[in-house]
Amino acid sequence: MKLLNIIRITAVLFIIFVATLLLLDRWVSAQTESRTYHDPAKLPSYNVGLVLGTSNISLKRLIPTMPIVCLLLSTYIKNTK
């Protein structure tokens, strides 16, 4: 009986944890939607840029966003010359 209660409590805590993670993900997505650009042509012009997700592991796996990152980097390099 004791083990069953521990399993139930663990399951409930796990469900609460996963639900919290999903809610936080949706909240962060909603808060940053106005600052997320999907079209490189709509990016504002700055002299400095921050590119995330360009580690060697990401390059080896060829993540789906890699073409956009390459386009942004090549555009930045062309504009700095």
Side-chain angles (χ1 to χ4, degrees), residues 22-59:
L22 292 173
L23 287 172
L24 285 173
D25 177 62
R26 296 308 315 148
W27 179 74
V28 169
S29 296
Q31 294 295 314
T32 58
E33 182 64 32
S34 64
R35 296 179 226 152
T36 304
Y37 298 96
H38 299 286
D39 182 11
K42 294 182 180 180
L43 285 173
S45 177
Y46 294 111
N47 291 332
V48 177
L50 173 65
V51 180
L52 302 173
T54 59
S55 69
N56 289 338
I57 294 171
S58 296
L59 291 174

Side-chain angles (χ1 to χ4, degrees), residues 7-8 10 13 18-19 25 30 33 49 51 54 65 69 71 76 78:
I7 292 173
R8 285 180 183 162
T10 304
L13 290 176
V18 170
D25 177 62
E33 182 64 32
V51 180
T54 59
T65 57
V69 171
L71 177 65
Y76 175 74
K78 288 177 188 175

